[in-house]
């Protein structure tokens, strides 16, 4: 009877372990990021579908392969050191978040990625879960934003970008120069993060009320844009400014 009870207990334990393993695998597979599990020798034990898509390897090609197959050869000693330190001392280096590294696809194409490493113990040994995100689109977007901002800085017109809350996220050189020349308040012109709506509201005249109403409608999606002409005279000359606002698609 004892043997039967022990056998049943072992079977129940094995079933629970299997359920947990399947649940863990399902979580890995469901992740929108690439995920893989590395054993204590630095070899890949488990990958999800996103890793296959991202790197161009099949699951069978990655399983059992060394982790550094995903890193360009010239960086393997440096980047592989992060993984080795976690494996050597998991208590001290349990998690490393957001590391940027150059990764390499099966066809040799290199791309910028971020990786988070975390260790856990299973069956008396240390394993590492790695979450990998392809940053190619993000890097390209930052480069494009830099290019566009560079073009805006060369334009003679004063240009600002405003977010949905009405706060300035970018001001070109002409806009900043207007602050230095006294066309508008220094604090308003120079500081990204200031509210464009609040600055107009402070003026309190009919033009300001019109601009605030038009800009509020634009930010709320009720308008595609507007143009306002208003006086901005200096002591030496009569001067009129044109405020033109439109949504960026």
């Amino acid at each position: 009877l004892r043997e039967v009870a022990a056998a049943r207990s072992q079977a129940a334990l094995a079933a629970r372990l299997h359920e947990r393993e399947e649940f863990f695998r399902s979580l890995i597979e469901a992740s929108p990021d690439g995920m893989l599990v590395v054993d204590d020798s630095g070899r890949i034990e488990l990958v999800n579908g996103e890793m296959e898509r991202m790197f161009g390897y099949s699951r069978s090609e990655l399983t059992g392969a060394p982790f550094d197959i995903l890193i360009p050869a010239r960086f393997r000693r440096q980047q592989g050191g992060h993984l080795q330190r976690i494996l050597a001392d998991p208590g001290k280096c349990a998690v490393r978040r957001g590391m940027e590294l150059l990764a390499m696809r099966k066809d040799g194409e290199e791309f910028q990625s971020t990786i988070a490493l975390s260790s856990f113990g299973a069956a008396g040994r240390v394993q590492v879960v790695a979450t990998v995100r392809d940053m190619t689109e993000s890097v390209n977007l930052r480069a494009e934003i830099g290019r566009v901002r560079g073009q805006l800085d060369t334009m003679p017109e004063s240009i600002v970008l405003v977010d949905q809350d009405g706060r300035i996220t970018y001001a070109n050189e002409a806009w900043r120069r207007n602050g230095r020349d006294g066309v508008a308040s220094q604090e308003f012109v120079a500081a990204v993060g200031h509210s464009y709506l609040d600055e107009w509201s402070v003026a309190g005249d009919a033009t300001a009320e019109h601009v605030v109403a038009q800009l509020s409608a634009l930010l709320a999606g009720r308008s595609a844009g507007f143009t306002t002409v208003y006086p901005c005279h200096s002591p030496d000359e009569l001067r009129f400014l044109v405020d033109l606002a439109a949504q960026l698609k």
Side-chain angles (χ1 to χ4, degrees):
L1 290 177
R2 289 181 179 178
E3 292 178 356
V4 172
R8 288 178 177 174
S9 178
Q10 289 292 331
L13 177 61
R16 288 197 297 271
L17 290 175
H18 179 71
E19 289 177 0
R20 291 181 180 179
E21 182 178 345
E22 288 302 310
F23 178 68
F24 178 70
R25 288 176 179 270
S26 68
L27 288 179
I28 295 287
E29 191 61 39
S31 172
D33 293 321
M35 292 192 72
L36 68 159
V37 178
V38 181
D39 66 18
D40 52 6
S41 68
R43 292 190 173 273
I44 299 170
E45 284 193 345
L46 175 67
V47 300
N48 67 353
E50 180 60 18
M51 284 295 295
E52 294 182 276
R53 187 202 65 77
M54 190 185 306
F55 285 90
Y57 290 99
S58 68
R59 200 168 301 228
S60 60
E61 288 176 306
L62 287 173
T63 303
F67 173 77
D68 61 13
I69 193 178
L70 307 176
I71 303 171
R74 65 188 184 280
F75 295 125
R76 286 175 184 172
R77 175 176 294 183
Q78 174 189 355
Q79 303 292 0
H82 297 304
L83 176 64
Q84 294 304 320
R85 282 191 290 274
I86 288 180
L87 290 171
D89 194 350
K92 183 177 180 181
C93 306
V95 178
R96 293 186 67 91
R97 295 187 179 92
M99 296 184 297
E100 293 189 1
L101 60 82
L102 203 61
M104 185 176 68
R105 307 187 207 277
K106 181 180 178 179
D107 62 6
E109 179 191 358
E110 298 179 358
F111 66 98
Q112 193 67 40
S113 70
T114 60
I115 182 170
L117 302 174
S118 58
S119 64
F120 68 99
R125 59 196 180 99
V126 177
Q127 293 173 295
V128 172
V129 175
T131 303
V132 184
R133 179 170 296 178
D134 187 342
M135 299 299 292
T136 302
E137 290 187 8
S138 179
V139 169
N140 291 342
L141 178 60
R142 288 199 296 266
E144 179 64 14
I145 290 174
R147 184 187 66 79
V148 170
R149 288 184 172 182
Q151 291 179 340
L152 293 178
D153 273 338
T154 65
M155 297 179 70
E157 296 83 5
S158 298
I159 299 173
V160 290
L161 301 181
V162 179
D163 66 18
Q164 290 182 329
D165 295 323
R167 295 192 176 278
I168 296 174
T169 60
Y170 166 78
N172 75 341
E173 175 57 30
W175 180 274
R176 297 191 295 270
R177 187 169 58 248
N178 280 337
R180 293 192 293 269
D181 294 343
V183 176
S185 70
Q186 179 76 24
E187 293 78 8
F188 173 52
V189 172
V192 169
H194 276 232
S195 172
Y196 194 67
L197 284 170
D198 289 349
E199 179 69 16
W200 273 105
S201 298
V202 168
D205 56 24
T207 298
E209 291 178 0
H210 174 73
V211 171
V212 169
Q214 292 294 320
L215 184 58
S216 297
L218 178 61
L219 295 174
R222 300 191 302 271
S223 167
F226 67 91
T227 301
T228 299
V229 180
Y230 57 93
C232 186
H233 305 320
S234 72
D236 302 322
E237 62 179 339
L238 295 178
R239 182 165 49 189
F240 291 86
L241 299 182
V242 178
D243 207 42
L244 188 152
Q247 289 182 346
L248 290 178
K249 301 296 185 180

